[in-house]
Amino acid sequence: MTFQNELINWYLINKRDLPWRHTKDSYTIWLSEIILQQTRVEQGLPYFNTFLENFPSVSDFASATEAQVLNLWQGLGYYSRGRNMHATAQLVVNNYNGTFPTLHDDLIKLKGIGEYTAAAISSFSSGEARAVVDGNVFRVLARYFGINTAINTPEGKKQFFKLANELLFREDSALYNQAIMEFGAIQCKPKSPKCSICPLNIDCFAYRNNVVNQLPVKLAKAEKKNRYFNYFILTEGDKILVRERKKRDIWQHLYDFPCIETEMLLDGNDLDFVESVKNIFGNNAEITFVSYKKHLLTHQIINVQFFSLKNYIFNSSKHEELNWVSLNTLDELPKPNVIRNFIEENF
Ligand code: SF4
C-alpha cells in the first residue's frame, strides 16, 4: 500500500470527531485554523465554540468592535492575531461581499493568513490541490523519509514543501491533508510516538534506523530578550488608572496600568527609579512594592513588578493615554493575561 493510502486508512479509523471537520464553510474553517495556531485542540475548542456563537457569520464578526473581539481572544496570547482576524472579517465584507474566499490565491492576500493557513482553508473548503505543511507534517515527513535538513531554515522549508506537494493525494486533498496532520498529532507525536503499532513502521527510515528522537531537526532559537515593566496601581474610590497600549509593541490596544520600563530589574528604592516616578507622580509619591511575576512570551521574557502608589499628584492633561475607569469597566476591557491575573488576585 502507498504512503498516502496507509495514512488515509489510518485516519478513517482513528480520527477525532472535531466540529470543524463537519463543514466546508471557509469562514468556520478559518476561525478554527487561526485559533488552533495559538493552542492545542482541547484548549482551542471552547474558544472556537465561543467565537462561532458570538459571530455566526463573517458579517457578524466584522460588525463587532475590536474590544469585543480581543475580549473573546483573551488568554490565547499573540493579540495581533485577534486584531488581524477582525481586519480580515471587515475586508471580506467590504471587498468580497461578505463571502469568505475559498481559493488559495485570494486567501493568501488576507491579513493573518500565511501559506499554511491558505493551503488548509482552500483544501478543506474547496478541495483545491494544496499540501498543508504544519509542525505535524514536518515531523511525519522528516521521520518517515529520514530528512535531516533543519525545518526552520529557508532551505528546509523549500525541501519539505516540495516533497509535501509531490505526495499530495490530488483526488481528495482535504482528506489526505487531514490524515497526515492527524497522524502527526496523535500517532507520530513529538514525544513517545506509537512506533510499534504504526502502519508505516516497515518503511519508516527513523524507526528502522533508530533515530526517531533525532528527527525532525530544528536549529536552536536566538535567546529571548528580557524586558522589565514596572506597573503603578493608582486608585480613587472604585476607580483605577489604566493605560491603553497604543504604541506598536506587544499587547497593542490592550489595557494595562501606568508603566515605567527599565533596562533591568530595579528595587523600588533605586534612586533613579524613584526619581522617574516622582517626575510623573509628584515629589510626595510613596512607592510600595506589591508583587513580581515573570511572564513568558514567544520571543520575550517580561519581568513585571507591581507597585502601589500613595500621595501622588496626577495631571491627566499631560498623559492622554491614561484614564480613570471603574473596576467594573476594567472587567470589560481586553487585558494581557498578567494584568488580568493581577486584578483577579488583588481586587
Ligand atoms: S514508525 Fe514511528 S516515527 Fe515512523 S512514522 Fe510511525 S510513528 Fe512516526
Side-chain angles (χ1 to χ4, degrees):
M1 209 183 295
T2 64
F3 173 76
Q4 294 87 337
N5 286 339
E6 288 282 17
L7 282 178
I8 290 170
N9 283 351
W10 173 92
Y11 177 70
L12 293 174
I13 298 165
N14 296 287
K15 67 177 172 184
R16 291 167 293 180
D17 186 17
L18 300 170
W20 47 86
R21 291 197 173 142
H22 297 289
T23 182
K24 286 190 179 296
D25 174 51
S26 52
Y27 165 68
T28 310
I29 295 167
W30 168 71
L31 279 181
S32 72
E33 286 298 333
I34 305 289
I35 290 169
L36 290 179
Q37 281 170 14
Q38 297 302 121
T39 184
R40 285 179 301 131
V41 166
E42 306 82 60
Q43 282 149 353
L45 198 50
Y47 281 93
F48 170 78
N49 289 332
T50 308
F51 266 91
L52 208 54
E53 268 162 40
N54 280 272
F55 313 130
S57 70
V58 68
S59 318
D60 298 316
F61 201 131
S63 34
T65 63
E66 188 174 280
Q68 282 173 313
V69 174
L70 294 180
N71 245 329
L72 297 185
W73 189 262
Q74 273 185 111
L76 281 174
Y78 264 131
Y79 290 85
S80 57
R81 289 197 178 154
R83 279 195 300 279
N84 283 344
M85 284 182 99
H86 193 221
T88 289
Q90 292 180 329
L91 195 134
V92 167
V93 167
N94 294 332
N95 295 8
Y96 292 86
N97 243 340
T99 304
F100 208 93
T102 59
L103 296 178
H104 173 279
D105 291 353
D106 292 326
L107 290 160
I108 197 82
K109 292 179 193 147
L110 301 175
K111 239 181 172 175
I113 296 190
E115 193 48 55
Y116 159 79
T117 314
I121 301 173
S122 63
S123 155
F124 302 155
S125 65
S126 70
E128 192 172 332
R130 297 270 176 180
V132 294
V133 187
D134 70 347
N136 293 315
V137 176
F138 273 122
R139 186 166 57 257
V140 173
L141 297 183
R143 286 175 174 171
Y144 184 82
F145 292 99
I147 304 169
N148 57 12
T149 317
I151 59 173
N152 54 346
T153 58
E155 186 196 0
K157 287 202 172 101
K158 205 170 156 196
Q159 185 177 1
F160 280 91
F161 270 85
K162 185 167 177 285
L163 176 62
N165 276 295
E166 281 164 12
L167 292 167
L168 183 69
F169 179 61
R170 285 164 193 275
E171 287 76 3
D172 194 339
S173 70
L175 179 64
Y176 170 77
N177 281 328
Q178 293 279 16
I180 189 165
M181 286 199 293
E182 187 77 337
F183 185 82
I186 61 178
Q187 170 79 27
C188 191
K189 298 184 292 181
K191 289 198 177 119
S192 316
K194 304 172 188 170
C195 297
S196 59
I197 54 160
C198 176
L200 296 180
N201 63 11
I202 298 172
D203 293 317
C204 172
F205 178 93
Y207 184 61
R208 286 164 53 108
N209 292 282
N210 207 15
V211 289
V212 173
N213 292 331
Q214 290 160 42
L215 293 172
V217 173
K218 213 171 175 184
L219 292 187
K221 283 190 187 148
E223 231 177 78
K224 290 187 181 193
K225 180 184 171 200
N226 266 291
R227 294 177 73 183
Y228 304 90
F229 289 5
N230 302 282
Y231 283 122
F232 301 98
I233 311 301
L234 283 73
T235 52
E236 293 273 11
D238 83 324
K239 299 239 158 102
I240 187 161
L241 196 61
V242 299
R243 168 180 75 158
E244 183 181 355
R245 295 180 60 88
K246 292 192 171 158
K247 288 192 186 147
R248 215 178 141 76
D249 192 0
I250 57 164
W251 304 334
Q252 196 183 12
H253 298 315
L254 302 195
Y255 289 79
D256 56 7
F257 302 123
C259 180
I260 293 178
E261 183 170 355
T262 48
E263 295 292 319
M264 61 182 85
L265 194 66
L266 293 179
D267 187 289
N269 298 319
D270 179 276
L271 289 180
D272 287 342
F273 181 59
V274 171
E275 186 63 28
S276 30
V277 175
K278 291 192 169 180
N279 278 341
I280 305 173
F281 297 110
N283 279 333
N284 294 331
E286 287 172 33
I287 312 161
T288 310
F289 171 79
V290 178
S291 59
Y292 165 84
K293 279 264 155 38
K294 185 182 259 195
H295 189 68
L296 302 179
L297 300 174
T298 315
H299 304 295
Q300 303 183 17
I301 300 169
I302 312 296
N303 297 271
V304 177
Q305 294 197 98
F306 293 96
F307 297 92
S308 72
L309 222 56
K310 289 214 174 97
N311 295 332
Y312 54 81
I313 298 169
F314 171 64
N315 185 344
S316 57
S317 61
K318 285 192 187 159
H319 299 280
E320 281 178 0
E321 75 286 10
L322 299 178
N323 282 300
W324 292 103
V325 300
S326 70
L327 286 168
N328 281 346
T329 309
L330 180 57
D331 256 1
E332 315 265 295
L333 297 174
K335 302 167 282 290
N337 272 352
V338 69
I339 299 295
R340 194 155 47 110
N341 295 341
F342 177 82
I343 293 166
E344 276 169 21
E345 284 162 20
N346 292 278
F347 290 96

